[in-house]
């Protein structure tokens, strides 16, 4: 699945930053967190990129990149 979608944000997201599925709120996304100092080693697989910032616990645009 690739393209824009309205997605529930958990916490404060950063524009142009990758997001991953939330580990606490079903159906939400949160900022991608690195597992270690190794580049591109995330706790969860990123599923998209934030297109615009909205308040937490609201829906906002994400460019999905799910393979």
């Amino acid at each position: 699945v690739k393209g824009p979608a309205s997605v529930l944000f958990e916490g404060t997201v950063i524009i142009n930053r990758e997001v991953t599925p939330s580990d606490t709120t079903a159906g939400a996304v949160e900022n991608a967190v690195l597992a270690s100092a190794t580049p591109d080693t995330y706790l969860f697989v990123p599923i998209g990129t934030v297109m615009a910032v909205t308040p937490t616990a609201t829906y906002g645009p994400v460019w999905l990149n799910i393979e």
Side-chain angles (χ1 to χ4, degrees), residues 3-23 27-34 42-54 58 60-67:
S6 181
V7 179
L8 179 62
F9 289 144
E10 178 186 345
T12 303
V13 294
I14 301 169
I15 195 166
N16 290 328
R17 185 161 177 185
E18 291 182 312
V19 290
T20 60
S22 170
D23 58 347
V29 297
E30 60 189 1
N31 285 318
V33 178
L34 290 174
Y42 294 100
L43 292 175
F44 300 101
V45 176
I47 62 166
T49 304
V50 177
M51 297 170 60
V53 176
T54 62
T58 60
V62 171
W63 185 269
L64 294 178
N65 190 22
I66 302 170
E67 296 182 22

